[in-house]
Amino acid sequence: MTQRIATAELGTGGPEVGVQGLGCMGMSWAYGPTDTDEARATLERALDLGVTLFDTADAYGAGENERFLAPFVAAHRDEIVLATKFALDFSRGDGYRRTVNNDPAYIRSAVDASLGRLGVDTIDLYYMHRRDPNVPIEESVGAMAELVAAGKVKHLGLSEVTAAELRAAHAVHPIAAVQSEWSLFCRDLETAVVPAAAELGVALVPYSPLGRGFLTGAFVHAEKELGENDFRRTLPRFTGDNAAANAALLEPVRAVAAAHDATPGQIALAWLDRQADVFGLPVVPIPGTRRRTRVEENTAGTRIALTDEELRLLEPIAAQVTGDRYADMSNTAGSRE
C-alpha cells in the first residue's frame, strides 16, 4: 500500500496540497537529455504518493515544459494544483541569459499563452518569476489581480522578492506563496522574507531544496561531471575551487543520514520541513526530479524527524558555502535588499 504524504494549506485561504511538491523544469529543460517516458511515469508516481503541487514556468524551454505537462494535467485536472510563472524572457541569447518583464500588458499576454500551452482554462497558482524593479510592484500585482477577477488564475505567487516587495504586493492582492531558493546551502531569506511571509499568512515554496542535486552527493564538480547542456555548469557554487570546498560541507549531512538509515537528500528535505515549525508558516519544497525512484526517496524524507542535536549539527553549513547561486545575481531578491 502506498504511503501518501501529509498535506498543508498553501497560504491563508490557499489550496490544500501535499507537503512536498514537484519541480518539473528538469523534465524537459536545463539538465541535459531526458527519458520522456520515465519523466511522465514520474509525474504519475508523484501523484500516487500524494504530491499534488506541480510547478513549471513559461521560461522553461520557451514554453516547452508547459506543453510537456499538458497531457498529465488533462488526465488529472481535478487532482492537482498547477503552478506556472511569467516574467523571464529567454528568447534572446544562449538560452540562459534572460530579460525580465513585469509590464501589465505583458502579463496579460503571458497568461493567455500559458493557458494555451497547458490546455487549461484556469491556472491554480500564478507566479511572478522575477522582479523588474523599474515597474512598481503594485502595478504588476494589480494586473495579476485582474487575472483572478477574470477567472484565468485562482491564486497569486511571487518568486525571489524582498520582504518589502512582498508586503507591498500583499497590500494589493493576497499572495498565497513565495517561491525562493531555500536549503541547507541557501538561507538568506530567513532574515526578513520568511518572517514577513509568516506574519502575512503566506506559504514558502522552496525551489532547489536539494541544492540542484549537490546536497544529494550526485556530483561535485559540475564542469567535469555534468553534460555540456546542463546549466549547473554555469553556477559558481558548483565550479572551480568552490565545488570542492562546498562538497566538504556535506559531511554532517552524511553523518545524520547514516543515523537515520536515510540518504543525504532525505535529510536536506527533512531539515527544510522542520523550518515550518521554526518559523510558523507552511513550507512546501518542490524538489525536481525526472525519475520515479527519486520521487519515492524524496517523499519518504517527509517522514524523518530530526532531533535538536542533529539540527545543531546542520546549522553552520549555509554560512560556510562559497560562491554565488547564479553567475548573475541581478534578478534575485538579494540584489535589492
Side-chain angles (χ1 to χ4, degrees):
M1 182 177 181
T2 295
Q3 187 170 2
R4 293 172 64 85
I5 61 176
T7 62
E9 186 178 58
L10 202 61
T12 303
E16 193 82 7
V17 297
V19 293
Q20 188 178 110
L22 182 64
C24 299
M25 178 183 77
M27 290 186 166
S28 65
W29 184 71
Y31 289 162
T34 298
D35 180 337
T36 301
D37 291 339
E38 177 63 17
R40 294 198 181 284
T42 299
L43 292 169
E44 297 287 347
R45 182 59 176 148
L47 183 58
D48 184 46
L49 291 165
V51 173
T52 56
L53 176 63
F54 293 84
D55 183 272
T56 182
D58 60 5
Y60 301 159
E64 187 55 37
N65 198 246
E66 290 179 326
R67 295 187 190 95
F68 171 82
L69 283 179
F72 172 75
V73 172
H76 302 286
R77 188 66 191 99
D78 295 335
E79 303 170 75
I80 69 171
V81 173
L82 177 63
T84 192
K85 315 176 195 71
F86 74 89
L88 296 186
D89 182 1
F90 284 87
S91 62
R92 305 177 188 87
D94 60 6
Y96 297 124
R97 286 192 293 269
R98 62 204 179 192
T99 57
V100 179
N101 195 334
N102 290 174
D103 292 336
Y106 174 81
I107 295 170
R108 297 182 192 105
S109 64
V111 73
D112 288 340
S114 285
L115 288 167
R117 287 187 293 263
L118 289 162
V120 297
D121 296 322
T122 305
I123 293 164
D124 299 312
L125 178 59
Y126 198 46
Y127 287 102
M128 178 190 296
H129 205 161
R130 291 291 188 274
R131 274 283 294 128
D132 178 1
N134 296 313
V135 180
I137 197 165
E138 293 85 355
E139 291 184 15
S140 301
V141 175
M144 295 169 72
E146 291 174 7
L147 305 181
V148 177
K152 296 181 178 182
V153 171
K154 291 183 180 178
H155 303 281
L156 301 185
L158 304 171
S159 181
E160 291 285 356
V161 293
T162 66
E165 289 167 343
L166 172 58
R167 292 181 189 281
H170 196 74
V172 175
H173 187 280
I175 302 299
V178 168
Q179 185 175 135
S180 286
E181 187 167 356
W182 194 10
S183 73
L184 280 169
F185 262 34
C186 181
R187 300 178 58 181
D188 298 344
L189 77 168
E190 293 177 19
T191 302
V193 175
V194 174
E199 176 190 329
L200 297 171
V202 177
L204 250 295
V205 177
Y207 73 81
S208 299
L210 297 174
R212 303 188 186 277
F214 193 82
L215 285 167
T216 71
F219 70 97
V220 172
H221 200 295
E223 291 173 311
K224 296 178 180 177
E225 300 174 52
L226 304 179
E228 290 186 3
N229 293 327
D230 194 310
F231 97 114
R232 288 172 290 184
R233 290 164 58 99
T234 71
L235 304 180
R237 289 187 173 176
F238 310 140
T239 56
D241 293 339
N242 293 335
N246 290 333
L249 301 177
L250 298 179
E251 189 52 41
V253 185
R254 296 191 186 95
V256 174
H260 286 269
D261 192 22
T263 65
Q266 288 174 323
I267 298 306
L269 291 168
W271 175 86
L272 201 44
D273 290 341
R274 277 294 301 269
Q275 305 315 302
D277 297 326
V278 171
F279 289 98
L281 80 171
V283 177
V284 182
I286 50 169
T289 184
R290 48 196 179 186
R291 289 186 289 163
R292 284 169 285 181
T293 54
R294 188 66 76 184
V295 80
E296 290 165 358
E297 174 187 330
N298 290 345
T299 53
T302 67
R303 294 184 282 275
I304 295 174
L306 300 180
T307 67
D308 289 342
E309 178 57 35
E310 288 168 339
L311 292 173
R312 283 192 289 270
L313 188 64
L314 300 172
E315 180 67 23
I317 293 175
Q320 301 174 62
V321 173
T322 61
D324 287 334
R325 294 189 286 133
Y326 298 99
D328 178 4
M329 292 284 288
S330 62
N331 292 135
T332 62
S335 68
R336 301 188 302 281
E337 293 283 6

